[in-house]
Amino acid sequence: MDRIRVGVNGYGVIGKRVADAVHAQPDMHLVGVADIVTDWRIQSAVPRLPVFAATPDAHSGMVDTGIRPEGTLDNLLAQSDVIVDTTPKHVAAGNLPRYQAAGVKVIVQRLLHESGACRMIGCLSFVS
């Protein structure tokens, strides 16, 4: 069985939970996580997860603090079937064209109604 290759963009509170959940699924492969931070949050991921830099500035910052990123967000997208975006909604809305250009399916954690992105991808809201 081919496993679904999943990338997570945004490694904050929600992104960490998403990454952990994906990692635990037998039918999914966590390709890696991307972020812009270089602090303890992303440093805690380095020993156990592939870490990617979400922006060129983040890549430089990671290298400067001793983190060796696996690549950029574009590299993560190239290796993923699905990207889960857990970034703030204004960031997620800006990322949508990039995801579409990469041809990956996208799950957005934040509602994007205010940004106009719903017209681009369609939005659904649910409570479990």
Side-chain angles (χ1 to χ4, degrees):
M1 164 178 75
D2 289 338
R3 297 191 305 165
I4 300 167
R5 300 172 302 153
V6 181
V8 178
N9 187 18
Y11 195 70
V13 172
I14 301 298
K16 182 183 181 314
R17 291 177 182 171
V18 169
D20 289 345
V22 169
H23 196 330
Q25 302 309 308
D27 60 344
M28 295 181 185
H29 167 68
L30 180 62
V31 177
V33 298
D35 209 305
I36 60 171
V37 299
T38 60
D39 62 13
W40 61 270
R41 291 171 288 182
I42 204 70
Q43 290 174 7
S44 71
V46 170
R48 56 189 191 87
L49 300 173
V51 170
F52 293 77
T55 66
D57 287 343
H59 190 278
S60 298
M62 287 180 182
V63 170
D64 290 346
T65 58
I67 298 170
R68 301 181 79 184
E70 299 287 326
T72 64
L73 178 57
D74 290 328
N75 299 126
L76 179 60
L77 295 175
Q79 298 174 44
S80 301
D81 300 314
V82 176
I83 191 82
V84 181
D85 189 305
T86 64
T87 64
K89 62 185 166 187
H90 69 280
V91 175
N95 286 333
L96 289 175
R98 193 172 186 181
Y99 300 151
Q100 287 180 322
V104 298
K105 292 177 176 56
V106 61
I107 298 170
V108 180
Q109 180 249 331
R110 310 247 188 225
L111 292 176
L112 302 172
H113 296 285
E114 304 86 21
S115 69
C118 287
R119 289 187 301 277
M120 190 183 332
I121 63 169
C123 284
L124 221 27
S125 179
F126 67 92
V127 178
S128 58

